[in-house]
Amino acid sequence: MPTPSVPVSLQQAIRQSTQRKRTISLLLMAPLTLYIAIFFMLPIGMMFYRAVANPEMIEAMPRTVKALAAWRTTTALPPPEVYQAVGDDLIAASGSKPLGEMARRFNYEASGYRSLILKTARHLSQTDAAPVPAWNPNAVAVNDLLAPIAANSDAVNVAAPALPDMRSRLGAIDERWSDPDLWLSLRRVAPAYTPYYLLTALDLRMTNDGGIGRMPEDQRIYLNILFKTVKIALVVTLICLFVGYPLAALMVKAPKWFGFLLLMGVMLPFWTSLLARTTAWIVVLQEGGLVNKLLLALSLIDKPAELIFNATGLYIVMVHILLPFMVLPIYSAMKGVAPQFMRASASLGAHPVRGFFRVYLPMTMSGVGAGALLTFIVAAGYYVTPSLVGGAKEQMLGYFIAFYTNTTINWGMASALGIVMLSCIMLIYIIAARTIGVRQIVGLR
C-alpha cells in the first residue's frame, strides 16, 4: 500500500510544537544549570587554576622574569643583565604589596628567602635615594675654588664616583646572592604556572636539574595525612555499616510506632548543629563526664578512661554524626524489598543465613553502596570534628586545607590539597562503580 503523505501544514505544526516543548524544557533547566555552573563548576575550576597559578613574581619583578627567561643555564651564576634586572625591580617595587607577596612565595622554596628579598630591596632603595645636601649660601662655591686651577691647566675632569655594578652591590648586601642554588630557585618561581603546589601536596619537589624528586624525609607529611584521612573515613564507614544495617532492618521489621521512634532518633542529628553535637560529646566523654562516671559506678574501670582527644573519641563522635547518612539509604532500599522473597527462599529449603546472603543482601546493595559512598565522602572532608575531639595525630586533610585557606592565606597549597582529596574520592567512586555498579550506587536496579 502506498504511504500516505502528511500535509505540509501538519508537519509545520508538529515541528512548532516540538520546538516549543524543547524551549520550555531548556528554560526550566536553565536555573539549575546556572546554579551548578556558578556554585559547583566555577569553584572547582578556580581551585584547579589556583593550584598551578604563579603570578607573584610576574607582578612584582617583570624585568627579572624576562632576564631569567633569556638566561641559558650554562654557567653557575647568571650574567650581569640578570643581576641588573633584579636590582632595578627591587628598587622599583620596594615597600609594595606585590613585592611582599613575591617574597612570601619565594620563601616556599627555602626558608629565609623572604627576609633576603625584603632586606635587599630596602638596602638598594636607601642607597639609590641618598639625601642631597641642602644648599648653603654662606658656603664657598665649588666653581670659585676650581677657577684658579682651571685657569692654569688645559682641562679639568671632575667626575662623581660611580656605584659598583649590581652583582657587587647584591653580594655586599648578602652573600647568598652568590649562591647558584638561590638563582635556580628564583628561576623556578618566575613562570606564570608552576607544579610546585601539586608536587608539594604529594611530598615531591622540583630539583635543580629540572627533574622531580622526593621531599626530605623530615618534610614528608601530606601523603601520611592523606592515608590517615582515608583510613579514618574507611573505618568510620565500616562501623556505620555494621551498626546501620541492623538498625535499618529493625526499623523495617519493627511495629510502626517503634519504627517511627527509631526513625526520629536517626533523624535527630540532622536537626542539631554540628558544633553543638561535637561540644556535647566533649562534655559526655571527658574524664569527669557521664560515660566515665557510669563505668566507675559499675566498677568496670578503676580510673577514668581517655575517651576524648584521641582516636577513640574521634570514631565515637564521627559515627554518631554520620550514621544517618548510612541508615537512610539502606532503610529506603529495604522498604522496597517484599517479604515474600525470603519466605520463598525458605520454602525452597534455603537456610535463613543463606537466604540473607543470596536473596536479601543483593537486593539491598543499592542502599549499601549509596550509604557507604556518601558516608565515606562526608567523613573524608571533615575538619571541625577532628580538630575539636581528635588529638594532634588524628588531624585530617580537611584541617590543613582550612589552615592554608584561613590562616596562612596560601590559596595555591589549599587548592592543591583539595585536588588531591577530590582525586582520591573520585578514585574511590570509580572503584565502587566497577565493583558494585553505578546503577546500584545511585539506587537504580
Side-chain angles (χ1 to χ4, degrees), residues 113-124:
Y113 282 172
R114 179 179 181 274
S115 60
L116 172 65
I117 291 293
L118 299 180
K119 179 182 72 173
T120 304
R122 184 172 60 253
H123 278 267
L124 289 176

Side-chain angles (χ1 to χ4, degrees), residues 271-418:
W271 303 333
T272 310
S273 169
L274 174 64
L275 188 60
R277 281 177 283 168
T278 305
T279 307
W281 274 109
I282 295 176
V283 176
V284 172
L285 296 177
Q286 64 183 344
E287 290 188 0
L290 179 63
V291 174
N292 272 314
K293 287 183 178 179
L294 180 61
L295 294 177
L296 289 172
L298 297 175
S299 300
L300 297 178
I301 56 175
D302 298 330
K303 59 180 181 179
E306 296 182 2
L307 301 176
I308 202 67
F309 307 128
N310 52 26
T312 302
L314 178 63
Y315 288 134
I316 293 174
V317 178
M318 289 188 67
V319 167
H320 169 258
I321 294 174
L322 298 177
L323 189 60
F325 293 96
M326 180 67 74
V327 173
L328 294 179
I330 298 177
Y331 173 75
S332 177
M334 288 181 174
K335 290 286 289 184
V337 179
Q340 290 83 359
F341 290 105
M342 289 299 294
R343 289 199 291 265
S345 66
S347 66
L348 293 174
H351 191 273
V353 176
R354 184 180 181 184
F356 170 78
F357 284 104
R358 296 293 298 273
V359 178
Y360 195 77
L361 181 61
M363 299 184 70
T364 59
M365 280 302 295
S366 60
V368 172
L373 191 61
L374 185 60
T375 304
F376 179 86
I377 292 174
V378 177
Y382 258 38
Y383 77 94
V384 174
T385 301
S387 62
L388 292 178
V389 302
K393 297 181 179 180
E394 285 76 37
Q395 298 305 318
M396 301 171 67
L397 198 61
Y399 169 83
F400 291 89
I401 295 176
F403 172 78
Y404 283 117
T405 302
N406 303 322
T407 304
T408 63
I409 319 298
N410 188 346
W411 293 95
M413 200 63 218
S415 300
L417 292 175

